């Protein structure tokens, strides 16, 4: 298994009213998992030239709520590369907070990003789908 921090992903999205699922414009936690899935797809493409398949989450934490109008950054990285599996680590940060208490279109840029969620997962890319080499010295892993 190769330990790496070479492959990283960064997505920034604005959560819309369409993403809100609960009262008060609260966004469903599953939406964060969907964003982690998008980051996993990008990481698999960067690492292997194929989308692979996100097969499991071994750990998920929802640490703070997200609301329609918030901006969230999702960071992902490949932490280990096995023969076909890639261990992925994700973090989600709220970087802009909607302020409906002030006005319908008001928002604040946060002085410090707020960690709202994190997860660890595994993506699998079948050997025959791997188009890129992972070198440790001169070996392919």
């Amino acid at each position: 298994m190769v330990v790496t921090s070479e492959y990283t992903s960064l997505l920034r999205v604005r959560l819309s009213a369409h993403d809100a699922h609960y009262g008060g414009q609260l966004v469903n936690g599953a939406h964060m998992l969907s964003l982690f899935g998008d980051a996993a797809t990008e990481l698999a493409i960067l690492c292997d030239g194929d989308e692979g398949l996100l097969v499991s989450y071994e750990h998920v934490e929802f640490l703070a709520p997200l609301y329609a109008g918030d901006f969230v950054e999702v960071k992902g990285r490949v932490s280990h590369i096995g023969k076909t599996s890639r261990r992925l680590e994700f973090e989600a940060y709220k970087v802009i907070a909607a302020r409906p208490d002030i006005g319908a279109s008001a928002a604040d840029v946060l002085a410090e990003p707020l960690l709202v969620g994190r997860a660890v997962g595994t993506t699998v890319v079948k050997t025959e789908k791997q188009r890129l080499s992972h070198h440790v010295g001169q070996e392919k892993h």
Side-chain angles (χ1 to χ4, degrees):
M1 183 179 289
V2 178
V3 178
T4 182
S5 61
E6 180 178 351
Y7 302 102
T8 61
S9 173
L10 176 64
L11 308 172
R12 181 184 273 195
V13 297
R14 178 181 182 269
L15 302 173
S16 72
H18 177 75
D19 300 319
H21 186 73
Y22 299 108
Q25 296 297 299
L26 182 64
V27 173
N28 188 337
H31 189 72
M32 188 183 314
L33 292 178
S34 177
L35 295 173
F36 289 162
D38 289 344
T41 299
E42 180 181 13
L43 289 167
I45 292 168
L46 291 170
C47 188
D48 293 292
D50 188 87
E51 291 185 7
L53 179 63
L54 181 60
V55 296
S56 70
Y57 286 107
E58 65 185 71
H59 182 79
V60 176
E61 289 181 276
F62 301 105
L63 303 170
L66 291 170
Y67 299 94
D70 290 346
F71 281 72
V72 63
E73 280 187 355
V74 172
K75 297 178 181 183
R77 74 180 192 92
V78 177
S79 60
H80 291 88
I81 299 174
K83 183 176 178 183
T84 59
S85 66
R86 283 79 179 97
R87 185 173 193 266
L88 310 175
E89 298 176 4
F90 307 100
E91 293 180 330
Y93 293 88
K94 185 186 303 190
V95 294
I96 295 175
R99 293 294 310 272
D101 56 315
I102 295 173
S105 58
D108 289 333
V109 175
L110 301 180
E112 293 290 326
L114 174 65
L115 181 63
V116 296
R118 59 182 160 221
V120 175
T122 301
T123 285
V124 171
V125 181
K126 293 180 179 181
T127 305
E128 64 271 14
K129 300 278 187 174
Q130 296 174 23
R131 298 187 304 114
L132 307 175
S133 295
H134 307 286
H135 295 284
V136 176
Q138 295 297 318
E139 294 180 56
K140 181 180 179 195
H141 292 272

